[in-house]
Amino acid sequence: MAAPSGADNQEHWSGKFAFIMAAVGSAVGLGNLVRFPYIAGDSGGGAFVLIYLACVLLLGLPVLVAELMIGRRGGGSAIGAVVRLAKNENNSKLWGIVPAIGVVTTFLVLSYYCVLAGWVLNFVFLSVQDVFSSVGSGAGLGAVAYNEMTEAEISGQLGELVSNPWQMVIMTGLFMALTIFIVSRGIKGGIETAANILMPIFFVLLLLLTISSLINGNDAAALDFLFKPDWSEVDGGVILRAVGQAFFSLSLGSAMMITYGLYMNKDEDIPGSARIVAFSDTSVALIAGLAIFPIIFASPVLMESVLAEDPGLGLMFESIPLAFHQLPFGGIFAIAFFIMTIFAALTSAIALLEVSVAWFDGDIDVSAVQRRRRRIRGAIILGGLAFLIGCMNALSQVPTSVANTFFNTWEPLSFIALFDGMTILDAIDTLTGSVLLPIGGVATAVFAGWVISAQVAKDEIGFKKASTFTIWRTLVRYVVPIFIGIVLVYGAIIGPMRARADAGSEAAQVIEEMTTPSE
Ligand code: TRP
């Protein structure tokens, strides 16, 4: 018998449904449930949401189609696929650098994603504990959430967690272990199975929580906040964050969707699948807003604190537990909420790890048994490495008043204005979200639009109408590169440099005022 070629030996999705579940599972995650609501809150609410929707439609969707096309057409590994396609077009092999950077990007994202997911896991345990203690106290399940706790204790849970480095390391490790386990089982046995089980439960929980929030909450204020645009907050930085968030949420601009494209069968419909993925992901972000803000805004105190300050992660880990605290059966809702979030985070972390494991698997002909071994080894080594960087990220979150962990004072990239005052976790988040993903998106669009010939692209994507192909090609050739290029220069270079200069001149003024003797 002839030795199987790499392509024959590659695992494929077992069908359209499995692919969609896995891709939606990768897209829907902490980006929708945590990052989107708080960035929207910090960046002008409705105005940000509108800009975000435009970014998904005009930048995200065409790049998603491009990535799936590149992966399926090229085959092998993400880097191999791009190199092969470039060679076919008599272009430089150096294009392989783009997916190579993508692999590094997903790895970096994973290194802090697992920390935040660890926090969520911790809150799953906390919310379960709280309900059981209220049952134990005789108050029963119907009691108000967190029966045994005062509000101060509830809002202090996050502070307690970040003050406890070991707790964070253990939770991060637990989450990573789950992720490694699933990825090591391969495409069909691991990723697909996990997505097929976790995603349907996720959607049911999201629906139930949204309905209960709309019934119990202050819908008018939430709708105002999410959909009434305040254009005064919009500047280059906000537009860049919308672009970055769109790429982050759709898992684009790294090698991720190229990797998932590798496993697509030839008869699957790329434009149709891309539409479903983009639509589901965006709907989940908006619906999550409707699950979260009405119940937060039901309390005037919480509403004021969220609107007045940039809540950041406090939104998820302080405001939300407090908001559930006011609801009857709130404890149950809190459990449902954090379980839903951990499911979404897990299917995304699997995808993030899969990118580097697929690279580690290589692009060569080996037997199925060898492939399995390589996969297990790759998942453990790379997942372990991400966990180690994750520990540094976790230690950077410990308040300096509690302990000096070195990482909570270290600002590794602050010589660049964009990263002013950021410890490693925030620096990696901003570097990947606002720089690497948008640049990766531009490079992918240029590759798909300018390097790959129109004939090949048309043939592989299989748009039903010729005009759709023309629109797609115009978007990837011109709109994506030019628009993101401008936004990057303003948002990542000019804006932060101005801010730094302003801060500098303000400081100079203060010093001058202090040193000039008053009359
Ligand atoms: N999209 C996921 C989320 O919203 C995170 C994610 C998965 C991701 N794969 C990615 C982000 C690749 C960037 C690149 O949570």
Side-chain angles (χ1 to χ4, degrees):
M1 211 173 76
S5 77
D8 287 346
N9 207 14
Q10 185 150 57
E11 265 203 274
H12 283 273
W13 305 112
S14 44
K16 188 176 161 79
F17 180 77
F19 164 70
I20 300 252
M21 275 298 143
V24 170
S26 117
V28 171
L30 297 178
N32 308 60
L33 302 175
V34 184
R35 214 169 177 267
F36 180 81
Y38 94 67
I39 296 187
D42 293 355
S43 324
F48 176 86
V49 173
L50 285 177
I51 299 172
Y52 177 78
L53 292 179
C55 289
V56 169
L57 210 64
L58 298 175
L59 312 172
L61 196 52
V63 172
L64 178 53
V65 168
E67 291 200 8
L68 294 175
M69 180 261 287
I70 292 170
R72 188 170 73 181
R73 183 80 178 190
S77 70
I79 300 174
V82 169
V83 170
R84 242 187 309 274
L85 292 176
K87 263 203 284 196
N88 285 348
E89 306 284 353
N90 294 320
N91 213 300
S92 165
K93 282 200 298 196
L94 288 178
W95 276 105
I97 293 173
V98 174
I101 294 176
V103 174
V104 176
T105 308
T106 46
F107 186 77
L108 288 175
V109 171
L110 179 61
S111 79
Y112 75 85
Y113 207 88
C114 62
V115 176
L116 297 184
W119 293 11
V120 176
L121 195 57
N122 192 76
F123 273 75
V124 171
F125 294 136
L126 280 176
S127 56
V128 171
Q129 233 172 30
D130 289 331
V131 166
F132 276 101
S133 68
S134 66
V135 175
S137 72
L141 278 179
V144 170
Y146 303 107
N147 183 54
E148 305 281 87
M149 295 183 137
T150 63
E151 289 191 357
E153 281 170 327
I154 292 170
S155 64
Q157 284 177 326
L158 177 62
E160 215 171 283
L161 173 62
V162 293
S163 305
N164 192 340
W166 278 113
Q167 181 86 2
M168 280 196 282
V169 167
I170 290 170
M171 290 296 156
T172 307
L174 216 60
F175 180 80
M176 245 356 259
L178 270 173
T179 308
I180 292 172
F181 173 72
I182 297 171
V183 171
S184 71
R185 298 177 51 96
I187 310 300
K188 287 204 178 85
I191 299 182
E192 258 186 47
T193 311
N196 282 342
I197 298 172
L198 300 178
M199 289 316 289
I201 303 179
F202 168 86
F203 279 108
V204 171
L205 290 177
L206 179 65
L207 214 67
L208 292 179
L209 284 164
T210 309
I211 294 171
S212 112
S213 173
L214 289 174
I215 292 175
N216 292 303
N218 180 352
D219 301 350
L223 290 173
D224 241 28
F225 173 74
L226 280 170
F227 299 109
K228 205 168 107 196
D230 168 10
W231 294 102
S232 66
E233 296 237 7
V234 174
D235 57 14
V238 167
I239 300 180
L240 177 62
R241 285 170 100 191
V243 173
Q245 174 61 20
F247 278 78
F248 185 93
S249 192
L250 292 169
S251 316
L252 297 175
S254 57
M256 218 243 89
M257 285 296 177
I258 301 186
T259 305
Y260 271 26
L262 299 172
Y263 316 137
M264 267 182 114
N265 296 302
K266 286 288 174 203
D267 57 356
E268 273 156 37
D269 165 23
I270 290 184
S273 311
R275 263 192 308 251
I276 297 179
V277 173
F279 177 81
S280 318
D281 184 66
T282 309
S283 312
V284 170
L286 295 177
I287 295 175
L290 294 179
I292 292 171
F293 289 111
I295 48 159
I296 292 183
F297 291 168
S299 143
V301 182
L302 284 178
M303 174 154 158
E304 203 187 305
S305 78
V306 167
L307 293 182
E309 315 147 22
D310 294 348
L313 291 168
L315 192 63
M316 177 77 149
F317 299 105
E318 287 170 358
S319 312
I320 290 179
L322 281 173
F324 284 124
H325 177 62
Q326 339 154 45
L327 292 183
F329 296 103
I332 307 286
F333 286 118
I335 296 178
F337 180 82
F338 285 111
I339 286 188
M340 161 184 101
T341 309
I342 201 72
F343 281 8
L346 192 55
T347 50
S348 297
I350 294 167
L352 286 163
L353 181 58
E354 171 62 26
V355 176
S356 12
V357 171
W359 160 77
F360 189 90
D361 274 356
D363 201 348
I364 44 171
D365 292 348
V366 288
S367 72
V369 178
Q370 274 172 308
R371 217 164 233 283
R372 272 195 69 88
R373 279 211 204 106
R374 284 176 84 105
R375 170 161 282 272
I376 295 172
R377 214 181 316 147
I380 293 175
I381 295 175
L382 293 161
L385 215 58
F387 167 69
L388 286 183
I389 305 178
C391 290
M392 299 181 205
N393 282 319
L395 292 178
S396 77
Q397 298 301 298
V398 178
T400 43
S401 56
V402 172
N404 181 354
T405 64
F406 172 73
F407 293 103
N408 55 3
T409 51
W410 187 42
E411 294 173 3
L413 295 174
S414 61
F415 56 94
I416 302 169
L418 180 63
F419 305 104
D420 245 353
M422 293 183 185
T423 58
I424 178 166
L425 190 149
D426 293 320
I428 293 183
D429 181 25
T430 304
L431 173 69
T432 50
S434 294
V435 182
L436 293 176
L437 295 180
I439 290 181
V442 171
T444 311
V446 169
F447 183 75
W450 294 92
V451 175
I452 295 183
S453 68
Q455 199 45 52
V456 169
K458 198 187 235 161
D459 176 55
E460 187 65 35
I461 301 172
F463 280 116
K464 293 202 180 73
K465 281 191 281 180
S467 58
T468 326
F469 178 72
T470 313
I471 296 173
W472 172 79
R473 200 142 190 270
T474 312
L475 289 173
V476 290
R477 295 187 99 186
Y478 302 102
V479 178
V480 172
I482 295 173
F483 184 78
I484 297 185
I486 295 173
V487 171
L488 262 175
V489 171
Y490 270 91
I493 303 172
I494 298 180
M497 272 166 62
R498 278 217 193 110
R500 184 180 262 191
D502 285 352
S505 65
E506 248 167 56
Q509 214 172 353
V510 171
I511 291 172
E512 199 184 278
E513 271 163 24
M514 278 169 29
T515 47
T516 30
S518 56
E519 285 130 52

